[in-house]
Amino acid sequence: MLSEQQIIRIKKLDKLKSLGINPYPSNEYKVTSTIYNIQKNFIEKETISIAGRLMRLRLLGKASFGEIKDHTGCMQIYFTKYHLYSDKMGKEDTYNIFLKKLIDIGDIIGVKGFLFKTKMNEMTIHVHKLTLLSKSIRPLPQVKMDKNKKIYDAFSNTELRYRMRYVDLIVNDHIKEIFIKRTRIIQKIRNFLDDKGYLEVDTPILQSIPGGAIARPFETYHNTLGIPLYLRIANELYLKRLIIGGFNGVYEFSRNFRNEGMDRIHNPEFTVLELYVAYKDYYWMMNFTEKLMKCIFNKFQKKENINFKTPFPRIPILDSIKKYTGFNLKKMEKEELRKVCKKLHIEENLKMSKAKLIENIFEEKCEKNYINPTFIIDYPIEMSPLTKKHRNEKNLSERFELIINGQEIANAYSELNDPIDQLDRLRKQMKFKNTKNESMSNESMSIDKDFIRALEFGMPPTAGIGIGIDRLVMLLTKKNSIQEVLLFPQMRPEKGGKK
């Protein structure tokens, strides 16, 4: 059902057409500058042509003021009855009919004119020619300010902002900066890796086996091949195939999909950087990660309470748990771990694996305590089915997670390259996979027989890391929700049956 304002605007649309004015012209509109460049290099009386969205319009008698916004900023515009014209109308009709009766806030317009400063010393465009480039038939939410220039009527409803990100970007100027910064962060990482000689690659999103991580996949079906396929939960196994094939270092900004819960740090689709480098181990990867993180944070987060002094602390996960809970888990089996969880009031049940119980304890009681960058290292082997056994510590693996501001930012291993050991571990995982118990099944990893075959040809010692790009951007933009750093986060369907 159309609102009253929409009905009025559609009538204006029809009137424009009746006057021979195309409200959605297809011809190019020549732009000579941007608002940012105009304001930076202001020249009095310079003739300019710009295009953008009309954000404000204050109609007066013989002269009116407005504000136009392009992709670089906002600027005041000025219209007068005797100097304004358009392609289809003379001066008085352009001002009295076209501007006053048919143009609305939210319309995309082109303006040509000269620059001047008002008595209040505000840079302004005196518009001589007005062109309608796209008629808006939905009114924008108006951002208003009080006398102290404090916003009190902004487009601030969180659900609406995420659902209608296009409107959020139009009316909330600071939102665009988040996503510009996100792009620049990714570019900085890419440049860092390229300078090291590592190759950016693409691997399949549709996979016949959802491997490389423990997660529930999204399922689909390929009609031509007649087989089920899965959206990838990780790209790890494909990147390792490339290391086996002879590449020295490969990386990918991978869009991953996991059919699991949603909260402030989880979205069903997310971006991970994965990097694999031959002839390295997790000690080398810790040193490399320190350099990468310092490079990023020196560029994008110069004034922050987080201390990026290197080397980052390296704390075994079981030592961390002992420090913050008082329990030594080193020799505990599943039933003992369940008792510890009960005492700590942490979720547990008979269906949870030993690895899941340890993970829950760490996440609930330890993770939040690490604000400065910290490597949590040497995870129990049960928690790391793709990781080499520790060279010195029995029952542990050569794995680390990087925790910053109480959140996991990265996960890395000395990669397991023994095909017999790898197959044995995956078979043990499949005992969970084949159970009817959903909780245990979701904690298991599928066997990718082709990956095992690839390992049998020999993979060099390799270090690998996955860095959560969304969480990294949250950290660098000081946002507490992953939805704030995703342009279009997943949402429930709108009420009323809308999709």
Side-chain angles (χ1 to χ4, degrees), residues 7-23:
I7 293 170
I8 291 171
R9 290 193 179 207
I10 290 173
K11 288 180 179 178
K12 290 182 180 181
L13 193 69
D14 293 336
K15 180 64 175 177
L16 286 164
K17 292 176 181 178
S18 72
L19 294 171
I21 300 171
N22 185 351

Side-chain angles (χ1 to χ4, degrees), residues 263-299:
D263 56 36
R264 69 177 189 85
I265 59 173
H266 295 95
N267 194 66
E269 56 178 307
F270 56 97
T271 303
V272 174
L273 164 71
E274 293 220 13
L275 165 71
Y276 293 82
V277 184
Y279 307 107
K280 308 297 182 183
D281 63 10
Y282 84 138
Y283 291 113
W284 177 89
M285 187 59 82
M286 278 188 262
N287 295 333
F288 182 87
T289 303
E290 287 174 345
K291 294 172 185 175
L292 174 60
M293 289 296 151
K294 284 199 74 172
C295 173
I296 297 168
F297 278 80
N298 285 342
K299 174 70 175 178

Side-chain angles (χ1 to χ4, degrees), residues 314-325:
R314 303 179 181 191
I315 302 171
I317 185 171
L318 296 181
D319 289 356
S320 174
I321 290 173
K322 184 177 180 181
K323 176 180 178 180
Y324 289 107
T325 69

Side-chain angles (χ1 to χ4, degrees), residues 24-45:
Y24 306 105
S26 57
N27 54 296
E28 176 189 4
Y29 185 84
K30 187 175 180 180
V31 173
T32 61
S33 188
T34 64
I35 289 173
Y36 174 82
N37 286 332
I38 290 170
Q39 293 172 336
K40 184 179 179 181
N41 307 295
F42 185 83
I43 300 174
E44 192 92 25
K45 295 185 179 180

Side-chain angles (χ1 to χ4, degrees), residues 430-488:
M430 285 303 293
K431 292 179 181 179
F432 294 117
K433 193 75 174 176
N434 294 329
T435 182
K436 293 181 180 180
N437 183 275
E438 185 176 323
S439 175
M440 295 177 75
S441 179
N442 290 338
E443 293 179 37
S444 62
M445 193 177 294
S446 300
I447 296 179
D448 185 334
K449 293 181 180 178
D450 179 69
F451 174 65
I452 299 298
R453 179 171 60 187
L455 280 181
E456 291 172 347
F457 281 94
M459 184 174 84
T462 299
I465 190 170
I467 299 175
I469 295 299
D470 306 314
R471 291 186 187 178
L472 185 62
V473 174
M474 285 172 60
L475 189 62
L476 291 166
T477 56
K478 300 179 182 178
K479 298 300 175 185
N480 294 320
S481 170
I482 193 171
Q483 286 80 17
E484 289 287 349
V485 300
L486 299 174
L487 278 169
F488 301 104

Side-chain angles (χ1 to χ4, degrees), residues 143-158:
V143 180
K144 300 176 183 178
M145 289 182 283
D146 61 19
K147 294 179 181 179
N148 297 317
K149 294 188 176 181
K150 292 182 179 180
I151 296 174
Y152 66 92
D153 188 21
F155 186 61
S156 56
N157 180 282
T158 301

